[in-house]
Amino acid sequence: MDFEDARQKALQFRRERDWEQFHNPKDLAISISLEAAELLECFQWSGDRTDVPERRCQMQDELADVLIYSVYMAEELSISIPDAMSAKIDQNAAKYPVEKARGSSKKYTEL
């Protein structure tokens, strides 16, 4: 399934349940944040482990929730996700030129 098919499936799911009425930008932003926190919870108490393979299925579900709510928010704000991502990558490319940023975790203001 490609992105557009997944996007349409999410929007159809919402339409069938008449949930658009509850999906204003404020509440969708809250939902995205809450779901992102649930994704972060997958790493809670994992010590210095940066990968927790036994929680991969849970991570997949939480990441999907973040993405679904992001699709709903983009729809409400008339934002094309591919266009927004491309524009943001272009902005980041200007802030983080390869010759300065390659292999570095420094913020652009420190490069």
Side-chain angles (χ1 to χ4, degrees), residues 7-98:
R7 179 183 161 279
Q8 288 299 326
K9 186 174 184 176
L11 294 172
Q12 179 180 346
F13 175 88
R14 180 175 80 158
R15 234 184 343 267
E16 289 171 349
R17 287 152 182 82
D18 192 26
W19 286 350
E20 296 99 324
Q21 62 183 314
F22 308 116
H23 290 174
N24 59 74
K26 175 193 69 82
D27 289 327
L28 289 168
I30 291 168
S31 296
I32 291 167
S33 181
L34 292 172
E35 295 300 338
E38 290 180 14
L39 178 59
L40 186 57
E41 190 176 30
C42 295
F43 295 94
Q44 187 176 25
W45 313 120
S46 65
D48 59 357
R49 293 172 45 207
T50 59
D51 185 23
V52 189
E54 66 273 13
R55 296 187 189 148
R56 188 175 191 286
C57 288
Q58 182 184 356
M59 287 182 220
Q60 178 177 312
D61 287 346
E62 300 307 342
L63 180 58
D65 287 337
V66 169
L67 294 168
I68 291 165
Y69 278 123
S70 295
V71 164
Y72 295 161
M73 186 158 191
E75 185 73 11
E76 292 306 303
L77 298 174
S78 299
I79 293 172
S80 161
I81 291 175
D83 290 347
M85 288 176 62
S86 179
K88 184 61 177 177
I89 291 167
D90 291 344
Q91 289 174 23
N92 287 344
K95 288 182 188 177
Y96 295 95
V98 173

